[in-house]
Amino acid sequence: MKPALQRLLPSFVAVAGVSAIALACYSFIHATPNIAALLLMLPVLLTGAYGRTAEAVIASFTATLCLDYFFLPPARSISIGSPESWIALLVFLAVALIATNLSRSLHQERDYLIRQQKEDERIYALNRAMLFSEGQDLRRLIANKCIELFAIQEVVLFEISTGRIHHSGHETCIPLETLRRVARDGAAA
């Protein structure tokens, strides 16, 4: 599949889902505008929960247009005949966009919490390895565990009491003076 088509596919799926529900509400169940608005909100919320923000906004506008075209008087036209219909349409669009934004925020928060949990698990594993080191060289253990758990290529430890630098490999690509300055000042710059 071409990259451009692959990027647009979720938007097409969102529009198709909203359109299919609108057609089913209009043709098969002859839904009232209130029922249709509630049913059209479902694909908008699903798109907001599992898609990108742009796809959810497209689904929101598609649902708003379908609601206007099929269910708000005058039916089967993109025009609004009464102030009540304008209010209903604008409220539907606002709710769809707000729900989409809330869903996106929850999705991002969940992803953040998953990343944070994985980080906490790595730190716990490092602490556990240090706790149960039993006579091993703790500096070597910390360096090796950091490389293993955090996918770091190189680890350098500075022992304050002796001023010695311990690194994971034979030689570090960072100059020794830079390492000492960072250990002393706390920043590389």
Side-chain angles (χ1 to χ4, degrees), residues 3-5 7 13 15 22 35 39-40 45 49-50 63 73 84-85 92 96 115 122-123 132-133 136 145 165 180 188:
L5 184 60
R7 284 193 310 260
V13 169
V15 168
I35 298 298
L39 290 174
L40 286 170
L45 292 175
Y50 297 107
E84 292 86 13
S85 295
F92 176 81
R115 285 190 309 273
R122 287 187 211 124
I123 291 172
F132 297 115
S133 62
Q136 297 179 29
K145 275 296 182 185
I165 294 176
R180 285 202 168 100

Side-chain angles (χ1 to χ4, degrees), residues 54-127:
E55 295 155 2
V57 169
I58 289 170
S60 299
F61 279 106
T62 303
T64 303
L65 288 173
C66 287
L67 184 64
D68 179 29
Y69 185 79
F70 289 112
F71 301 102
L72 296 179
R76 298 192 55 141
S77 69
I78 303 284
S79 64
I80 301 173
S82 69
E84 292 86 13
S85 295
W86 270 107
I87 291 171
L89 198 62
L90 291 175
V91 167
F92 176 81
L93 181 61
V95 167
L97 292 174
I98 289 169
T100 294
N101 190 25
L102 289 173
S103 178
R104 171 66 37 217
S105 295
L106 288 173
H107 195 70
Q108 290 173 341
E109 182 69 20
R110 183 203 64 178
D111 291 345
Y112 169 76
L113 289 173
I114 288 171
R115 285 190 309 273
Q116 188 65 41
Q117 180 182 3
K118 288 179 181 177
E119 184 76 15
D120 290 347
E121 288 170 357
R122 287 187 211 124
I123 291 172
Y124 175 77
L126 177 62
N127 286 335

Side-chain angles (χ1 to χ4, degrees), residues 154-156 165-176 179:
E154 184 176 9
V155 175
V156 178
I165 294 176
H166 307 276
H167 37 79
S168 56
H170 296 288
E171 276 303 314
T172 179
C173 63
I174 304 169
L176 192 59
L179 291 173

